[in-house]
Amino acid sequence: MKKVLVSMFAIALAFCLAPMAHAENWVYLGQAHVDGQHDHDNIEVGKAAGRYRFLQVRVNNAPIEFDRIVVHYGNGQAETLQVRDVIRKGDRSRAIPLEGDRMVQSLELWYSKAHPFSRRPEVSLFGQR
């Protein structure tokens, strides 16, 4: 009986710690603000440029309605990610998979305020290798 309890505790602990370990793998790539009702911004990844397998969008201050994100790779190619989702204030997107394992150089964001009279929304982008 004792072995069963210890095993169940170990499994429960692993489930609790797994999301924290997963969260630590995200690398900050940059941020932008939605200034008008509809906006388009370009984020240069800079010193965080590297190979990423997933992107994640995090939103602060007010909800944002996303249309698409265009990922520009180091080899000159681009990939359009159709996000088409509203991300609420304080929320984040799912892990958005990228094609292959290529160097991410910059990201273009096409989005708008979800509510016309809301505060100035802020978006932060993260990548996972």
Side-chain angles (χ1 to χ4, degrees):
M1 180 69 169
K2 188 176 181 179
K3 286 183 181 181
V4 172
L5 288 175
V6 170
S7 296
M8 288 175 50
F9 177 75
I11 291 170
L13 184 62
F15 278 112
C16 291
L17 293 179
M20 289 189 298
H22 181 70
E24 292 174 7
N25 293 332
W26 292 100
V27 176
Y28 174 76
L29 301 178
Q31 71 179 25
H33 293 90
V34 182
D35 295 318
Q37 179 56 33
H38 299 282
D39 203 354
H40 167 236
D41 285 306
N42 190 42
I43 295 177
E44 293 292 330
V45 176
K47 65 181 180 181
R51 296 182 182 277
Y52 295 97
R53 295 178 48 222
F54 297 96
L55 285 182
Q56 186 179 71
V57 177
R58 300 180 188 177
V59 173
N60 287 313
N61 299 334
I64 298 175
E65 184 172 353
F66 280 86
D67 180 38
R68 66 188 179 277
I69 298 173
V70 180
V71 182
H72 295 277
Y73 294 105
N75 64 1
Q77 293 181 333
E79 176 184 3
T80 301
L81 307 172
Q82 298 296 333
V83 179
R84 297 188 190 270
D85 197 9
V86 174
I87 301 176
R88 295 181 304 207
K89 168 181 146 183
D91 263 354
R92 61 186 66 188
S93 71
R94 62 181 169 73
I96 304 167
L98 300 176
E99 272 184 19
D101 181 20
R102 295 183 283 179
M103 184 78 79
V104 174
Q105 194 168 16
S106 67
L107 304 145
E108 276 184 89
L109 306 172
W110 300 84
Y111 47 34
S112 61
K113 291 180 179 180
H115 305 296
F117 301 108
S118 65
R119 295 175 45 192
R120 186 176 180 215
E122 177 184 275
V123 60
S124 299
L125 286 168
F126 290 81
Q128 187 178 60
R129 297 174 195 247

